[in-house]
Amino acid sequence: MIMKCLNIIVYYDNPDEVYNYIEEINKNQEKLVDIAIVVNKNSKHQLENTKKLWRKMGYENIYIYDYKLNIGYLNALLFITREICLNQYKFIILSNTDIHYCSNCFFENLLEKNYKKFVGCIAPNVYSLKSKSYSNPHYKKRISKYHYKKLSKIFSKPILAKMYLNMSEIKTRIKRQKEQTDSCYVYSPHGCYMIFTLEFIKKLRGLEYGVKMYSEEAFVGEMLEKNSLKCFYDSSLKIEHNESSVTGKINYKNRFQMWKESIDYILKIFYS
């Protein structure tokens, strides 16, 4: 049996972005990747037209799951992996759709990798086109309880939250301009593109993420540690992140509230 990758993505009223992402994968790597689309919002019913286009093109590697509600980003992975037979997949990927692959052989190169048995998650080399900086390695060490409590207070005040995010973006532009070419073990990956091993996914089966969005990286990092697994930053796997974020469709006050809820959830589950 030829091992493949499963790439899970979320559809949130973004038909053009989803279509372009799938087109980019299927140009060169269709036989190496199955694509699972979780429908979180389809208010304009544009997905139906896109599905017809894919059928005309003969794509057989696309599967669509509609749970009739917005289950969020990480739960797209957790829900789908409960019901799919995973044995044909070497890696399961949860990613944004605003991603560009720097190589036409990305999945071929990934499938040729043989990481150590204790590696449960791989963080690729992500370059942000918006901030002109590198997003990985993301968190090299576990975040302290004190820092999370401070963040929770910041995100409870929209003005403070906006100032904090603006300052963080400036700091990122300055500190992360240079690519880290040395691969290494890290605490967690950047959430825009997370590659999971089959062994780790089996450990996550049956779990549910308690909030819709944000702090997914912390959840992944904590679950890796709980299962005595590690995250590996692989500098040879290169992608670009356009950051045309779907979250931009959400009112910023609601976004900050969701951010606070996610931080409080992580504190409750892993730091109590």
Side-chain angles (χ1 to χ4, degrees):
M1 181 190 292
I2 299 172
M3 297 297 281
K4 303 168 72 174
C5 295
L6 174 66
N7 191 173
I8 300 167
I9 59 175
V10 168
Y11 182 97
Y12 191 90
D13 270 355
N14 57 334
D16 293 338
E17 191 171 274
V18 168
Y19 179 81
N20 291 336
Y21 180 69
I22 289 173
E23 279 291 282
E24 179 166 359
I25 289 178
N26 281 348
K27 276 177 188 175
N28 301 290
Q29 306 175 88
E30 180 185 353
K31 293 180 180 178
L32 302 178
V33 195
D34 286 342
I35 302 165
I37 304 172
V38 174
V39 181
N40 275 351
K41 189 176 182 184
N42 187 26
S43 60
K44 297 175 183 176
H45 304 291
Q46 290 176 298
L47 185 59
E48 286 70 20
N49 295 327
T50 309
K51 281 159 66 176
K52 289 174 185 175
L53 275 173
W54 288 329
R55 285 195 203 102
K56 284 182 182 178
M57 292 172 177
Y59 292 160
E60 296 179 355
N61 64 328
I62 300 168
Y63 305 92
I64 298 175
Y65 296 83
D66 191 349
Y67 295 97
K68 306 300 180 186
L69 74 162
N70 181 2
I71 61 173
Y73 183 56
L74 186 57
N75 277 331
L77 171 91
L78 297 175
F79 279 39
I80 282 182
T81 50
R82 291 177 193 171
E83 53 186 277
I84 286 182
C85 178
L86 298 172
N87 292 334
Q88 63 182 308
Y89 302 115
K90 186 174 181 180
F91 298 106
I92 294 90
I93 300 162
L94 178 65
S95 77
N96 289 10
T97 48
D98 52 358
I99 298 293
H100 169 69
Y101 292 95
C102 299
S103 166
N104 290 336
C105 302
F106 180 90
F107 291 100
E108 184 179 342
N109 293 338
L110 174 61
L111 287 165
E112 287 175 353
K113 302 275 186 179
N114 289 302
Y115 298 104
K116 293 186 183 296
K117 287 186 178 180
F118 55 76
V119 171
C121 183
I122 298 96
N125 189 340
V126 181
Y127 181 71
S128 167
L129 295 173
K130 181 182 177 183
S131 64
K132 293 181 171 48
S133 61
Y134 290 88
S135 303
N136 276 327
H138 190 49
Y139 291 119
K140 289 188 175 182
K141 295 181 180 178
R142 189 178 193 245
I143 299 166
S144 70
K145 184 176 182 179
Y146 169 78
H147 185 68
Y148 272 131
K149 284 189 169 183
K150 186 172 75 172
L151 286 178
S152 178
K153 288 179 181 178
I154 288 171
F155 281 102
S156 67
K157 308 286 185 185
I159 294 174
L160 279 179
K162 205 165 187 179
M163 288 172 61
Y164 172 80
L165 290 177
N166 287 338
M167 290 301 294
S168 294
E169 188 172 330
I170 293 168
K171 186 179 176 182
T172 298
R173 284 174 187 255
I174 295 169
K175 291 187 72 176
R176 291 178 171 266
Q177 287 182 347
K178 191 175 180 181
E179 175 186 9
Q180 179 168 322
T181 55
D182 294 334
S183 299
C184 61
Y185 294 102
V186 295
Y187 168 67
S188 67
H190 190 279
C192 73
Y193 202 101
M194 299 185 283
I195 305 168
F196 301 90
T197 63
L198 182 58
E199 180 188 355
F200 185 38
I201 287 294
K202 287 178 178 178
K203 303 280 187 186
L204 296 177
R205 265 187 162 170
L207 297 180
E208 187 170 333
Y209 191 51
V211 291
K212 283 191 174 70
M213 289 172 60
Y214 299 122
S215 303
E216 295 92 351
E217 301 99 335
F219 182 86
V220 171
E222 291 298 312
M223 291 308 300
L224 284 166
E225 289 206 355
K226 185 177 180 181
N227 289 285
S228 301
L229 297 170
K230 290 186 178 294
C231 180
F232 184 69
Y233 163 64
D234 191 334
S235 63
S236 70
L237 298 173
K238 298 186 178 185
I239 61 173
E240 292 177 341
H241 185 201
N242 291 312
E243 295 194 66
S244 55
S245 181
V246 166
T247 58
K249 298 178 181 181
I250 304 169
N251 176 285
Y252 79 91
K253 286 186 179 179
N254 291 336
R255 236 184 302 164
F256 296 153
Q257 178 60 33
M258 291 168 73
W259 223 314
K260 175 177 163 49
E261 286 172 2
S262 74
I263 292 163
D264 291 343
Y265 175 73
I266 295 297
L267 277 168
K268 179 183 175 183
I269 300 299
F270 298 112
Y271 289 79
S272 58

